[in-house]
Amino acid sequence: QVQLVESGGDLVQAGGSLRLSCAASGSISSINVMGWHRQAPGKQRELVAQITSGGTTNYADSVKGRFTISRDNAKNTVYLQMNRLKPEDTAVYYCTFLISSNIYWGQGTQVTVSS
């Protein structure tokens, strides 16, 4: 089965940067879409960014200009570069892959941004 492993979450000060990584392993044919969601305490899970197999990206308005999603197809890995972090970015971040019409979720990684 396909498994997604995330890393990179940490405690940082406002204005700092982090890079999240998520790598998929197992029986993989094609990764159609790679993405990141996040869920803050007391809030619903929201889409942060995604990148399609064709390279098209989209971002939540709250992170545009600060976050960049990228991929390494050879490694079946997606990254989220987060710059100029704000306290409101504090959340558990989950990677999401669409593989052969099935959706897979990472285990989540905690990002905490202090004031």
Side-chain angles (χ1 to χ4, degrees):
Q1 294 185 344
V2 175
Q3 293 184 321
L4 276 57
V5 179
E6 303 181 35
S7 63
D10 206 348
L11 170 65
V12 298
Q13 295 183 6
S17 298
L18 286 173
R19 190 178 79 154
L20 307 182
S21 300
C22 178
S25 62
S27 181
I28 301 173
S29 177
S30 178
I31 303 176
N32 303 102
V33 182
M34 300 178 178
W36 292 92
H37 289 74
R38 69 185 181 187
Q39 187 165 22
K43 297 183 178 180
Q44 297 184 14
R45 187 172 299 185
E46 64 175 344
L47 175 68
V48 176
Q50 64 179 201
I51 182 167
T52 70
S53 59
T56 301
T57 60
N58 69 281
Y59 299 89
D61 289 340
S62 60
V63 307
K64 287 182 179 178
R66 299 188 298 119
F67 291 10
T68 302
I69 187 170
S70 61
R71 64 186 180 184
D72 186 334
N73 291 330
K75 298 180 179 180
N76 290 326
T77 300
V78 64
Y79 305 95
L80 186 67
Q81 179 66 46
M82 304 184 294
N83 298 323
R84 303 190 303 280
L85 284 161
K86 303 175 180 179
E88 50 262 46
D89 294 319
T90 295
V92 177
Y93 285 71
Y94 301 88
C95 59
T96 307
F97 285 15
L98 178 61
I99 304 174
S100 299
S101 300
N102 294 313
I103 299 175
Y104 299 88
W105 292 83
Q107 82 280 5
T109 185
Q110 177 70 51
V111 172
T112 302
V113 185
S114 62
S115 301

